[in-house]
Amino acid sequence: MKSADSTATASIAAALAQHRAFGQLPSAVRHSFAAQFAYEKCAAHAVLVARDQQTLRMGLILGGTVEAQDPERGLALGLHPGELFGFGAMPAQPVRHWQWVAHTDCEIAWLGADALEQLCAQHAPLLYFFPALEARTRAAPTRQIGESGASLNLLMTPIRTLLKREPITLAPDTTVQATALLMREQRVSSVMLVEQGLLFGLVTDRDLRNRVVAQGLDGQRPVSDIATLAPMTVDANSPAFDALLLMARHNIHHMPVMDGQRILGMITTTDLTEQHSTSAVYLAGDIYKQTSLEGLTRISARVRQLQLHLAAADASAYSTGHIVTTIVDALTTRLIHLATQQLGPAPVDYVWVAAGSQARSEQTAKSDQDNCLILDDCFDEARHGTYFKAFSKWVCDGLAACGYVHCPGAMMAMTDIWRQPRHVWVDYFHKWIDQPKPKALMLTCVFFDLRAIYGKVDLLDRLRQDIVQLTRGNSLFLAHMVGNALKHRPPLGMFGQLSPIRGGANAHTIDLKHTGIVPIVDLARVYALAAGVPHANTHDRLEMSSQAGEVSPQSARDLRDALEFLGKLRIAHQARQITQGRDPDNFLALDELSNFERSQLKDAFAVVRTLQEVLQQRYSGGQF
């Protein structure tokens, strides 16, 4: 997609003039508005707006035909030139399962959601034609237009649609001075080095500053001397969300965009977000700049504000979990750096591993810490134990100071039994799988969800391979896991009515975590273990397990939709608490819900209960 040139803008303005809503705008306003559209030619059968992208942008059909589809119900509707689809062109109650696909080769004019909101804010009568936008405006009257939507709406947008210009490339033997001159002339902050048509390296203005000017390097040296060779790249068809996470996790600000081996352009952090103070990329960047625990503690206080912005922008629970977890990953990594500065380099290889919700990339602003340390097998307690004990305690205490409290069950790297060589971890899993007693099953629910954060990743990869071999097809162990998973039941009464907590401090509430989200996490874990799926994220586990045949595609979709709905309820509930100055929790009072939401909540719980019963029957109900 590219910005519309004068010819395309004229075509868009003409199409707007014929539209029943935009045709009522003054001519000057309409032409100015037309310039805000981006123009794209789309091939037949291309997915234009996926069902999880309905709130991101609006499309105006200039040529060709588009088909609105509901794949789950087998419904389809043809749309023709002059018609709108996507954001703003939906009924007040969103049609959640619809998507829009190019029926023929077509020409589309795209408009971001924030631009349409701004236009309707300036010309309120237009809301008559956009019931979904009017409902959104009534539901959030204090939300500032463009406050966070402009950046957060990019989360699921394909990266190729964000590219603004052709790639700027040079040969690796170009001089440093010539490179700097080209960057100045082109007004870019980076260039890519290409040799024989293939990406060779990347040079940024930061490289020129830090590796040339600061070190007094001769400007006639080849630019390859200061380049980042074999830089990290992103596929053009990936969502912008993927680039956002990669940049945040690796503290980088430029990333080449590829279509196979072909270079399409460069994506930068400023392309992805405008809200520097609360975006994941800039928040992670600030984290890596901190030189003390006190600085990290101050930065971590902004995570709650980040979650508020995500909730205000109606980001999905899946996206929110990944973004918030990325910040925890950055805090953990920086704490490891600071610990190494304090204690010196580690005497043997290790990998710091997240467990639980951090491993699954499903954290919210209300999370404790679960982690462990896998050490190289050359570890010797007498020679190395003191170092790693101090090291792990420094990092875990630092996470606690940043708001990620110590695990109540002490499942942390600072606990001696969770800081062991790889061969000991192999023995742990052998014992848990061969003798699945209640405590062993509880531990497996934590330590089967593992993800490397920092260190020698191969230590975890080899351990995971061993685990998959032990569990795949192990029906006896899986039956025990099912029995353990069935301890978490959705809160539904005998006749399918919601059954809130009856007494205590949380009376008349629903525990969204333990009786809503955890049962889905448990189901997905069993499916993944049975299928040998290595992924930790629940959404990804369901998708991959479905492809492996462990759960039907329809059931996997139902569980993913239930997880998304419950996750968004949880995030919205916590956002309200944060706004009120309260500590966020997982206990949702039913009076916070509309009748429609209560109905959806019952449906979500019913899906979980049904699939729990199916799994119970498959493994004989866990009776041994």
Side-chain angles (χ1 to χ4, degrees):
M1 184 171 64
K2 60 183 180 180
S3 299
D5 57 24
S6 58
T7 302
T9 299
S11 298
I12 294 169
L16 293 176
Q18 298 300 314
H19 193 269
R20 61 181 185 133
F22 300 123
Q24 301 193 32
L25 292 170
S27 177
V29 172
R30 193 164 56 244
H31 279 81
S32 175
F33 183 52
Q36 298 183 49
F37 283 78
Y39 173 80
E40 183 178 24
K41 288 186 176 180
C42 303
H45 311 302
V47 176
L48 303 177
V49 176
R51 67 180 191 173
D52 55 359
Q53 300 176 352
Q54 294 181 5
T55 61
L56 303 186
R57 57 181 181 171
M58 178 185 72
L60 170 63
I61 305 172
L62 299 177
T65 57
V66 172
E67 191 170 74
Q69 303 174 347
D70 183 346
E72 297 190 2
R73 293 189 291 170
L75 303 178
L77 178 68
L79 302 177
H80 302 279
E83 295 190 84
L84 301 173
F85 61 94
F87 179 78
M90 298 180 293
Q93 181 55 51
V95 282
R96 297 181 181 277
H97 299 293
W98 286 78
Q99 63 183 18
W100 288 265
V101 176
H103 186 246
T104 66
D105 290 350
C106 57
E107 298 173 80
I108 307 295
W110 294 107
L111 184 72
D114 56 315
L116 181 59
E117 286 184 331
Q118 290 181 22
L119 181 72
C120 290
Q122 297 164 4
H123 302 274
L126 287 178
L127 289 172
Y128 175 85
F129 298 98
F130 300 106
L133 185 54
E134 184 180 21
R136 179 184 173 115
T137 303
R138 288 199 307 266
T142 60
R143 180 172 178 265
Q144 296 297 311
I145 299 299
E147 179 183 60
S148 55
S151 59
L152 296 173
N153 281 343
L154 301 177
L155 295 177
M156 298 304 293
T157 302
I159 294 228
R160 67 168 64 245
T161 66
L162 303 181
L163 297 177
K164 297 178 179 178
R165 61 189 304 167
E166 295 297 316
I168 308 298
T169 64
L170 288 171
D173 58 359
T174 304
T175 66
V176 168
Q177 183 179 21
T179 300
L181 287 172
L182 178 67
M183 291 171 65
R184 185 182 69 180
E185 291 169 1
Q186 296 292 328
R187 296 183 179 181
V188 293
S189 57
S190 62
V191 293
M192 289 169 281
L193 306 184
V194 174
E195 189 170 46
Q196 297 181 353
L198 299 177
L199 180 64
F200 178 84
L202 169 68
V203 175
T204 69
D205 50 5
R206 183 179 297 183
D207 295 328
L208 293 173
R209 183 178 67 246
N210 295 343
R211 299 177 182 178
V212 179
V213 178
Q215 298 184 23
L217 191 71
D218 182 0
Q220 297 307 306
R221 294 277 294 274
V223 72
S224 58
D225 287 355
I226 66 164
T228 298
L229 304 182
M232 187 173 295
T233 64
V234 65
D235 185 84
N237 294 318
S238 299
F241 176 60
D242 287 358
L244 183 75
L245 291 182
L246 284 170
M247 289 180 175
R249 285 174 177 160
H250 297 280
N251 193 28
I252 57 179
H253 293 255
H254 301 79
M255 189 176 294
V257 179
M258 310 294 291
D259 183 4
Q261 297 284 327
R262 187 163 66 97
I263 303 169
L264 293 190
M266 181 77 73
I267 195 79
T268 70
T269 52
T270 51
D271 296 327
L272 293 173
T273 178
E274 297 168 330
Q275 299 298 312
H276 295 188
S277 62
T278 54
S279 76
V281 173
Y282 282 86
L283 195 52
D286 284 347
I287 286 170
Y288 286 112
K289 294 174 185 175
Q290 301 309 306
T291 58
S292 67
L293 176 58
E294 291 73 19
L296 290 176
T297 303
R298 288 194 300 272
I299 293 289
S300 65
R302 287 158 53 185
V303 175
R304 290 188 176 185
Q305 190 65 27
L306 172 62
Q307 184 165 316
L308 282 178
H309 278 247
L310 289 163
D314 199 30
S316 69
Y318 177 84
S319 300
T320 299
H322 276 78
I323 291 172
V324 173
T325 302
T326 293
I327 301 306
V328 185
D329 291 351
L331 286 167
T332 304
T333 300
R334 189 57 184 152
L335 285 166
I336 290 171
H337 293 163
L338 295 178
T340 303
Q341 291 176 14
Q342 292 269 340
L343 303 171
V348 300
D349 286 335
Y350 70 91
V351 59
W352 186 280
V353 178
S357 61
Q358 185 181 358
R360 297 192 304 271
S361 296
E362 294 168 5
Q363 287 203 305
T364 67
K366 171 65 175 178
S367 297
D368 55 11
Q369 56 176 291
D370 294 301
N371 47 61
C372 60
L373 207 55
I374 302 175
L375 306 169
D376 191 275
D377 282 338
C378 68
F379 169 81
D380 178 76
E381 177 63 36
R383 290 186 296 156
H384 310 138
T386 300
Y387 175 92
F388 283 108
K389 186 178 185 69
F391 170 81
S392 57
K393 187 175 188 306
W394 206 99
V395 177
C396 290
D397 286 348
L399 285 169
C402 291
Y404 300 91
V405 298
H406 289 140
C407 172
M411 296 179 190
M412 299 173 290
M414 64 185 289
T415 305
D416 292 346
I417 59 173
W418 308 131
R419 187 180 65 251
Q420 295 292 336
R422 195 191 75 86
H423 73 270
V424 174
W425 279 100
V426 173
D427 291 342
Y428 283 166
F429 280 99
H430 269 285
K431 182 178 180 180
W432 295 339
I433 293 166
D434 293 341
Q435 303 173 41
K437 297 178 181 179
K439 184 176 180 180
L441 292 170
M442 181 271 292
L443 293 172
T444 58
C445 288
V446 175
F447 290 114
F448 274 138
D449 301 351
L450 298 176
R451 182 169 57 84
I453 302 300
Y454 186 88
K456 191 174 182 182
V457 176
D458 179 61
L459 292 170
L460 176 60
D461 289 343
R462 286 187 289 132
L463 176 63
R464 184 177 282 115
Q465 291 170 8
D466 293 337
I467 296 169
V468 168
Q469 293 300 317
L470 289 170
T471 60
R472 188 170 189 174
N474 189 332
S475 57
L476 180 61
F477 170 72
L478 291 172
H480 280 90
M481 286 291 288
V482 171
N484 186 70
L486 294 178
K487 294 176 182 177
H488 297 115
R489 297 278 191 171
L492 291 177
M494 183 178 299
F495 301 105
Q497 75 277 16
L498 293 173
S499 181
I501 298 170
R502 293 187 177 181
N506 299 307
H508 310 301
T509 68
I510 297 291
D511 185 344
L512 289 173
K513 179 179 178 180
H514 291 100
T515 64
I517 293 172
V518 167
I520 301 176
V521 171
D522 288 342
L523 285 170
R525 184 183 295 112
V526 173
Y527 297 143
L529 289 172
V533 170
H535 298 71
N537 178 264
T538 301
H539 184 283
D540 297 341
R541 278 175 166 172
L542 289 168
E543 184 171 347
M544 298 305 295
S545 297
S546 170
Q547 294 178 16
E550 282 300 324
V551 59
S552 72
Q554 181 62 57
S555 295
R557 281 196 299 271
D558 288 345
L559 283 174
R560 290 200 304 270
D561 286 350
L563 180 65
E564 176 65 24
F565 175 70
L566 292 168
K568 290 198 73 170
L569 279 184
R570 181 190 189 192
I571 291 165
H573 165 69
Q574 292 183 354
R576 285 191 292 270
Q577 291 179 310
I578 293 170
T579 301
Q580 296 164 4
R582 299 159 55 195
D583 287 332
D585 61 30
N586 298 299
F587 298 99
L588 176 70
L590 291 182
D591 59 12
E592 293 184 49
L593 302 176
S594 67
N595 289 334
F596 179 76
E597 288 172 322
R598 291 191 193 199
S599 176
Q600 286 186 300
L601 186 58
K602 286 192 288 186
D603 289 344
F605 286 152
V607 165
V608 177
R609 184 166 70 176
T610 297
L611 289 170
Q612 283 182 328
E613 292 169 353
V614 170
L615 207 58
Q616 184 177 31
Q617 293 174 3
R618 183 189 303 178
Y619 290 96
S620 302
Q623 302 300 315
F624 316 111

